[in-house]
Amino acid sequence: MSHLFPTYSRWEVEPDIAEGCFIIGKDGKRYLDFTSGIGVCNLGHRPKAVQEAVNSQLNRFWHVSNLFVQGEQEAAAKRLADGANMDLVFFANSGAEANEAAIKLARKATGRKKIITFENSFHGRTFATMSATGQEKIKAGFGPMLETFTYLPLNDIEAVKQAIDSETAAVMLEVVQGEGGIHIGEQEFLNEVGQLCKKNGALYIIDEIQTGVGRTGKPFAFQHFQLTPDIVTTAKGLGSGLPIGAVIGRKEQAHFFGPGSHGSTFGGNPLAIAAANATMEIIFEKEFLKVVEKNSEYLYEQMSKKLGSLPAITEIRQLGMMIGLETSADVPLLVKELRMDGLLTLSAGHNVLRLLPPLTVKETEIDEAVEILQSVLISYSNAAV
Ligand SMILES: Cc1ncc(COP(=O)(O)O)c(C=O)c1O
């Protein structure tokens, strides 16, 4: 009997060791990992520079508390603030914690309660972030939720115009909905949301937990759309697998998060910070992101050519290394069959196969993945005829 609560439906694979884009199971089987630990291992598994940085910190100190000034925390905050072209950072331990802090900051900074979010969004599983999430299945059985959230259809600017008013603290969105099915915000919609926030004195919060730290080919996905958010949250890819989350805000918000207002025992832990600094040093380099962009284009070309016309595929959506293949196939079954053939993938929404390959994926690995996808999807397409 397992002594773990059965909160996760587990795969049959037990990893033995992982390196780069590959996981080797305890049964010796090799898997091409196009999940990156659900968008976390953006540099692949066990990137050397991150391993060295964490090893070096392990030999200095592991935890001292946030009573101490820590130069590395300052350096990580500066990297994040510079990467987002913003000012101030609060470190948390996860995506939900970062979003929770962002919601608190927005309420305190505006003195207002109402927050607008979107259908199919996912913001976390704490009470505030679960309440913010626009998916009923996430909340089932846990009610009542916080009452001050309104959920609107993504890309429907008229709905935002109707809902936003002088009591709105913030509009919070993912520019690419990850868990919800790789739905991409439209340029005009995203711009207009920013304008409406300004006009109504509300804050624009962008949840980059999944899209941040290079996942879409830029440091943050909002930079594809030239937006100027008031608050950005990020987590997954930031520590290459060590738990860390962050709220990035603006200097005008400093006094709302003064001493004693918010905090976390482990937030900004030295080991996670060492991993984050080493990760950002690589990913925020222009040259690195150029290669990501080039390989994303190659992946799109290959998918369009080899999968685009298969009857089982209804749409391919992509921003950088965040890909959704909308399909008529049974997604959980498809994920299983791909895994049996050595390719690890994810589901999203109810009919989307999600690919989150490491940003370091090579053309040969893309070829291998597309070949496996093609052979499995062809059998689905044949079965559908
Ligand atoms: C957009 C988004 N926000 C928040 C979260 C929650 O992050 P965590 O699981 O680290 O709490 C996730 C996790 O998938 C996410 O994709």
Side-chain angles (χ1 to χ4, degrees):
M1 173 207 162
S2 168
H3 292 280
L4 294 165
F5 270 109
T7 46
Y8 307 102
S9 44
R10 307 270 188 179
W11 290 349
E12 67 291 341
V13 182
E14 188 172 350
D16 182 33
I17 192 162
E19 185 168 4
C21 290
F22 293 96
I23 294 178
I24 311 294
K26 283 203 168 155
D27 58 0
K29 194 168 164 178
R30 165 186 169 278
Y31 297 89
L32 180 51
D33 184 7
F34 266 41
T35 73
S36 301
I38 320 188
V40 168
C41 307
N42 285 0
L43 292 171
H45 293 281
R46 290 192 299 126
K48 205 162 179 281
V50 180
Q51 193 168 22
E52 281 171 6
V54 174
N55 270 341
S56 156
Q57 186 60 44
L58 272 168
N59 288 322
R60 293 179 61 222
F61 54 92
W62 299 5
H63 178 89
V64 288
S65 89
N66 282 314
L67 294 172
F68 291 85
V69 171
Q70 296 167 57
E72 291 79 1
Q73 236 185 36
E74 289 287 348
K78 177 166 168 41
R79 280 196 169 99
L80 271 174
D82 288 351
N85 198 18
M86 294 172 73
D87 307 308
L88 297 174
V89 172
F90 173 83
F91 284 113
N93 306 288
S94 68
E97 272 189 35
N99 282 341
E100 187 84 17
I103 291 166
K104 285 177 72 175
L105 180 58
R107 277 194 168 186
K108 198 167 179 195
T110 59
R112 304 174 181 180
K113 298 191 200 74
K114 282 170 50 178
I115 297 188
I116 293 171
T117 65
F118 293 87
E119 291 166 6
N120 296 317
S121 60
F122 182 75
H123 298 295
R125 293 178 184 272
T126 62
F127 257 97
T129 61
M130 175 173 61
S131 301
T133 293
Q135 298 185 52
E136 279 313 310
K137 66 172 192 227
I138 302 292
K139 310 175 196 189
F142 295 119
M145 297 293 120
L146 295 191
E147 287 160 6
T148 51
F149 291 89
T150 306
Y151 318 96
L152 305 179
L154 189 71
N155 292 328
D156 183 345
I157 200 63
E158 288 309 316
V160 182
K161 281 183 191 161
Q162 293 286 319
I164 198 165
D165 60 25
S166 60
E167 287 173 21
T168 306
V171 178
M172 180 170 180
L173 57 78
E174 304 154 80
V175 295
V176 182
Q177 291 183 333
E179 303 300 308
I182 315 293
H183 298 292
I184 304 175
E186 289 165 6
Q187 173 77 68
E188 208 175 310
F189 170 80
L190 295 170
N191 269 344
E192 280 195 55
V193 168
Q195 288 159 12
L196 286 168
C197 282
K198 253 202 190 83
K199 195 170 138 200
N200 288 276
L203 300 183
Y204 197 178
I205 305 178
I206 300 198
D207 177 343
E208 296 250 9
I209 305 299
Q210 192 161 151
T211 50
V213 199
R215 173 52 54 194
T216 66
K218 294 213 184 276
F220 296 95
F222 75 82
Q223 293 163 332
H224 289 278
F225 305 90
Q226 297 88 40
L227 307 174
T228 44
D230 300 292
I231 299 176
V232 171
T233 56
T234 195
K236 285 177 177 286
L238 182 55
S240 286
L242 270 80
I244 184 166
V247 180
I248 314 170
R250 302 212 174 260
K251 55 182 180 302
E252 300 75 34
Q253 297 151 359
H255 66 284
F256 300 111
F257 256 10
S261 59
H262 190 59
S264 161
T265 296
F266 292 122
N269 166 272
L271 298 173
I273 286 287
N277 272 318
T279 301
M280 285 188 281
E281 195 175 339
I282 297 170
I283 293 182
F284 288 177
E285 269 300 315
K286 275 206 179 79
E287 288 309 308
F288 178 87
L289 290 174
K290 258 193 207 153
V291 177
V292 175
E293 202 178 319
K294 186 174 133 281
N295 286 337
S296 308
E297 279 165 16
Y298 180 72
L299 175 54
Y300 187 74
E301 274 164 31
Q302 294 305 306
M303 287 189 308
S304 302
K305 199 158 92 187
K306 303 200 168 129
L307 314 177
S309 59
L310 297 177
I313 295 295
T314 46
E315 193 176 20
I316 300 175
R317 297 190 286 270
Q318 178 178 8
L319 192 64
M321 288 294 179
M322 213 168 165
I323 300 105
L325 301 172
E326 200 174 285
T327 176
S328 53
D330 176 318
V331 179
L333 195 63
L334 182 57
V335 168
K336 183 166 184 194
E337 289 190 7
L338 290 165
R339 189 164 71 241
M340 295 296 173
D341 281 5
L343 178 66
L344 303 179
T345 60
L346 298 160
S347 62
H350 70 281
N351 61 349
V352 177
L353 184 73
R354 180 173 39 150
L355 309 178
L356 300 173
L359 306 181
T360 49
V361 69
K362 299 188 192 77
E363 276 192 13
T364 50
E365 292 156 348
I366 290 174
D367 291 342
E368 186 179 336
V370 173
E371 217 162 277
I372 298 171
L373 282 161
Q374 190 183 27
S375 77
V376 171
L377 283 163
I378 280 176
S379 69
Y380 268 84
S381 302
N382 290 342
V385 175

